[in-house]
């Protein structure tokens, strides 16, 4: 078997979006499954739209997801000499030719064809054929280079996702492969790169299906081995429309900012258009062991933010608490958290993480331990009543000597409730409000244990007079 070589080849004209990340994931996983090579290539020939910031966003997104490339990144703008060499060879062997038709002349051809109800295309004015006399070369015009596409027959390939696809060569005109300034065009650079980099499997979005027959014909003209192609359907929003910014975060690097873990995003992307039985939650090691091209879906996948949030909660609960603390602390610092003399953040997160769907939620929940409480006076009046204050005073007195751990605090709380004939909410709500500044927290004994004896006593004291 030929060694598997896949590639991810984004254009740096914007952020790394979810569809691109999924393509990268599938290509990466397929290479990993077969001990192959995953190549990263930056297709930056669109000079006007490509930016260093977009390149950085792609590299950062790949790094955050953990999709490490084995070779690259290769930049097309650094391979211009190679493309020109390939074009010169094609001009020499007659599979490409100079075309001196101006853009205005080409548009006029197309307008005439549209008016006649024909498919608009280049009419082959400058295409050399046996016995054909070409027009005189304009003295003041630089030519483009066109690929001499076969006039007859068809292009057919077995798409690993969509099945056999066949396109008539009559549907395609002679593609421009080099512009007037000599720079090669996208479809040509892709072909040469895939050939030179010995790519065996091209997994990409189905918006590239129309490029494939052109690329296959150029590869054949170059005498190159054809890769296998698989075109994955697009990702749709929950409303069935093409995924866009109005559906939420679509740039990969927006997800760490919104508090998602990379393993959650990867797990979610893996299930958008691929399945392994009913498995919903799996590690990337499992995914690579299972991943095949046979189970890629032919239908578009729908993005479900609730499902992603559910997965993120699953991975937050599994995550190491020290790792969570390192991720959450910067979020909290921006919100004014004070960590001096406060409980250990990792221990706090261990208590809070069960309910958090994002790290941002987790940070917000943890803030009660890292800022001074400012209870709403109306709520204080409602809950810290004269009927409750004796129990609070008794509770504070016992806090001075009780063993400061959850079980002992639980037993003490129950004892005080029984002694004063109160129910749990009658004492727990005032304690939450006074110590944490809010009425909703996890179990009160856990919360008080984390705050520590000194903090609890100091915060109770003003309410006992």
């Amino acid at each position: 078997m030929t060694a598997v070589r896949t590639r991810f080849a984004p254009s740096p004209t914007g952020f790394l979006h979810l569809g691109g990340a999924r393509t990268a994931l599938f290509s990466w996983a397929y290479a990993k499954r077969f001990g192959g090579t995953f190549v990263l290539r930056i297709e930056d020939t669109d000079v006007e739209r490509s930016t260093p910031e977009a390149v950085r966003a792609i590299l950062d997104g790949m790094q955050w997801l953990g999709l490490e490339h084995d070779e690259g990144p290769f930049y097309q703008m650094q391979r211009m000499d190679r493309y020109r060499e390939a074009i010169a060879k094609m001009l020499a062997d007659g599979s490409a030719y100079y075309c001196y038709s101006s853009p205005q002349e080409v548009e006029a051809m197309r307008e005439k064809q549209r008016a006649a109800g024909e498919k608009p295309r280049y009419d082959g004015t400058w295409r050399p054929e046996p016995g054909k006399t070409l027009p005189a070369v304009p003295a003041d015009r630089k030519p483009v280079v066109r690929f001499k596409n076969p006039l007859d027959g068809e292009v057919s390939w077995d798409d690993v996702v969509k099945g056999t696809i066949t396109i008539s060569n009559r549907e395609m005109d002679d593609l421009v492969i080099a512009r007037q300034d000599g720079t090669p065009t996208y479809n040509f650079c892709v072909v040469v790169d895939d050939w030179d980099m010995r790519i065996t499997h091209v997994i990409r979005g189905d918006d590239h299906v129309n490029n494939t027959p052109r690329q296959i014909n150029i590869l054949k003209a170059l005498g190159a081995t054809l890769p296998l192609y698989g075109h994955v359907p697009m990702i749709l929003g929950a409303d069935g429309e093409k995924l866009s910014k109005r559906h939420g975060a679509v740039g990969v690097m927006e997800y760490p900012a919104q508090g998602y873990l990379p393993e959650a995003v990867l797990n979610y992307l893996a299930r958008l258009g691929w399945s392994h039985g009913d498995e919903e939650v799996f590690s990337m090691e499992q995914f690579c062991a299972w991943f095949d091209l046979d189970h890629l879906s032919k239908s578009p996948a729908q993005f479900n933010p609730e499902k992603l949030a559910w997965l993120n909660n699953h991975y937050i609960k599994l995550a190491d608490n020290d790792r969570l603390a390192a991720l959450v602390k910067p979020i909290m610092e921006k919100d004014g958290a004070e960590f001096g003399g406060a409980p250990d953040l990792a221990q706090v997160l261990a208590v809070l993480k069960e309910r958090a769907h994002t790290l941002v939620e987790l940070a917000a929940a943890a803030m009660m331990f890292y800022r001074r409480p400012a209870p709403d006076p109306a709520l204080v009046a409602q809950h810290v009543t004269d009927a409750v204050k004796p129990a609070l005073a008794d509770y504070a007195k016992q806090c001075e000597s009780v063993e400061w751990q959850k079980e002992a605090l639980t037993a003490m709380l129950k004892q005080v409730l029984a002694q004063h004939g109160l129910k749990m909410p009658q004492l727990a709500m005032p304690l939450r409000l006074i110590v944490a500044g809010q009425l909703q927290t996890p179990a009160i004994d856990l919360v008080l244990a984390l705050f520590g004896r000194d903090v609890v006593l100091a915060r109770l004291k003003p309410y006992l007079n």
Side-chain angles (χ1 to χ4, degrees):
M1 178 181 173
T2 303
V4 169
R5 293 178 61 86
T6 64
R7 48 79 156 179
F8 177 52
S11 298
T13 54
F15 49 69
L16 176 63
H17 56 80
L18 284 182
R22 183 187 62 169
T23 298
L25 172 61
F26 288 171
S27 300
W28 173 84
Y30 195 70
K32 294 297 177 190
R33 165 85 186 271
F34 294 101
T37 301
F38 176 56
V39 178
L40 177 60
R41 188 169 78 218
I42 306 296
E43 298 187 338
D44 55 351
T45 55
D46 188 343
V47 178
E48 290 184 2
R49 297 174 62 220
S50 297
T51 66
E53 293 77 17
V55 172
R56 188 72 260 160
I58 290 168
L59 297 178
D60 288 347
M62 295 287 284
Q63 182 179 31
W64 181 72
L65 289 169
L67 301 178
E68 296 182 358
H69 47 277
D70 301 303
E71 293 181 10
F74 298 108
Y75 296 86
Q76 287 184 329
M77 287 303 292
Q78 296 174 6
R79 287 173 46 78
M80 287 294 139
D81 289 346
R82 171 65 183 120
Y83 304 138
R84 293 189 181 102
E85 173 192 311
I87 288 171
K89 178 181 180 298
M90 293 178 73
L91 286 167
D93 66 24
S95 58
Y97 61 93
Y98 289 115
C99 168
Y100 291 88
S101 297
S102 68
Q104 294 78 15
E105 289 169 343
V106 172
E107 185 53 36
M109 292 174 199
R110 290 173 175 164
E111 282 297 327
K112 184 177 178 182
Q113 290 158 348
R114 289 189 192 101
E118 301 171 0
K119 183 176 180 178
R121 56 194 290 121
Y122 176 66
D123 67 2
T125 298
W126 289 91
R127 179 181 173 120
E129 300 289 359
K132 177 180 178 180
T133 301
L134 298 178
V137 174
D140 59 346
R141 191 178 302 164
K142 290 183 177 180
V144 298
V145 178
R146 289 185 182 271
F147 170 60
K148 198 175 183 183
N149 196 73
L151 295 175
D152 300 308
E154 57 191 24
V155 184
S156 186
W157 75 96
D158 292 324
D159 195 286
V160 296
V161 178
K162 296 180 174 296
T164 302
I165 298 177
T166 302
I167 306 290
S168 170
N169 278 317
R170 293 186 176 275
E171 291 291 309
M172 297 177 281
D173 59 3
D174 291 351
L175 180 72
V176 173
I177 58 175
R179 303 178 183 89
Q180 285 181 313
D181 63 2
T183 57
T185 57
Y186 165 79
N187 273 299
F188 186 73
C189 296
V190 169
V191 164
V192 175
D193 288 343
D194 285 345
W195 180 28
D196 285 358
M197 296 172 192
R198 308 186 310 284
I199 301 302
T200 60
H201 296 75
V202 174
I203 302 168
R204 57 189 178 186
D206 62 3
D207 53 331
H208 287 281
V209 166
N210 290 337
N211 292 328
T212 303
R214 297 179 179 278
Q215 293 174 8
I216 288 175
N217 278 343
I218 297 173
L219 282 165
K220 287 179 176 177
L222 290 167
T225 302
L226 300 182
L228 291 174
Y229 292 93
H231 292 89
V232 184
M234 68 178 64
I235 301 173
L236 303 179
D239 56 2
E241 298 296 320
K242 185 177 179 181
L243 193 65
S244 64
K245 283 191 174 182
R246 64 189 175 85
H247 295 103
V250 289
V252 167
M253 291 311 290
E254 291 179 47
Y255 285 91
Q258 292 189 6
Y260 287 86
L261 294 174
E263 54 266 42
V265 175
L266 285 169
N267 191 159
Y268 184 70
L269 287 177
R271 285 291 284 113
L272 282 180
W274 175 86
S275 62
H276 183 79
D278 295 327
E279 299 287 348
E280 292 286 351
V281 180
F282 41 80
S283 68
M284 282 301 99
E285 289 76 18
Q286 289 172 313
F287 177 56
C288 290
W290 292 337
F291 184 69
D292 57 16
L293 303 177
D294 297 334
H295 290 86
L296 288 171
S297 173
K298 294 179 173 62
S299 305
Q302 275 199 325
F303 179 72
N304 183 335
E306 289 79 18
K307 183 68 172 290
L308 175 57
W310 174 82
L311 269 174
N312 202 50
N313 169 250
H314 170 81
Y315 283 105
I316 285 174
K317 288 189 288 188
L318 290 181
D320 176 79
N321 296 321
D322 288 329
R323 176 193 173 204
L324 289 178
L327 293 169
V328 164
K329 190 174 182 180
I331 303 172
M332 296 176 65
E333 285 174 336
K334 288 181 181 178
D335 202 23
E338 298 177 2
F339 293 95
D344 178 71
L345 182 56
Q347 292 180 14
V348 168
L349 299 183
V351 171
L352 300 176
K353 67 182 184 179
E354 287 290 320
R355 299 180 183 181
H357 288 89
T358 68
L359 299 180
V360 174
E361 283 184 18
L362 189 55
M367 280 299 293
M368 64 179 170
F369 292 96
Y370 302 95
R371 64 182 171 204
R372 293 203 59 80
D376 183 336
L379 290 176
V380 171
Q382 179 183 344
H383 292 281
V384 186
T385 63
D386 290 341
V388 171
K389 283 183 178 179
L392 279 175
D394 193 5
Y395 185 85
K397 181 67 176 174
Q398 295 196 44
C399 278
E400 294 174 3
S401 57
V402 72
E403 181 184 0
W404 203 264
Q405 45 93 11
K406 177 183 176 297
E407 289 75 13
L409 289 170
T410 302
M412 183 186 79
L413 182 60
K414 289 179 179 178
Q415 179 190 338
V416 172
L417 289 171
Q419 184 177 338
H420 292 270
L422 299 175
K423 293 182 179 179
M424 179 65 79
Q426 290 176 284
L427 187 53
M429 297 298 263
L431 284 172
R432 286 189 172 98
L433 194 59
I434 292 168
V435 178
Q438 57 197 55
L439 291 175
Q440 292 188 336
T441 72
I444 187 64
D445 47 6
L446 274 175
V447 170
L448 295 174
L450 285 168
F451 267 110
R453 189 193 314 270
D454 292 345
V455 170
V456 171
L457 286 172
R459 292 183 181 179
L460 281 173
K461 187 176 180 181
Y463 295 89
L464 302 179
N465 300 326

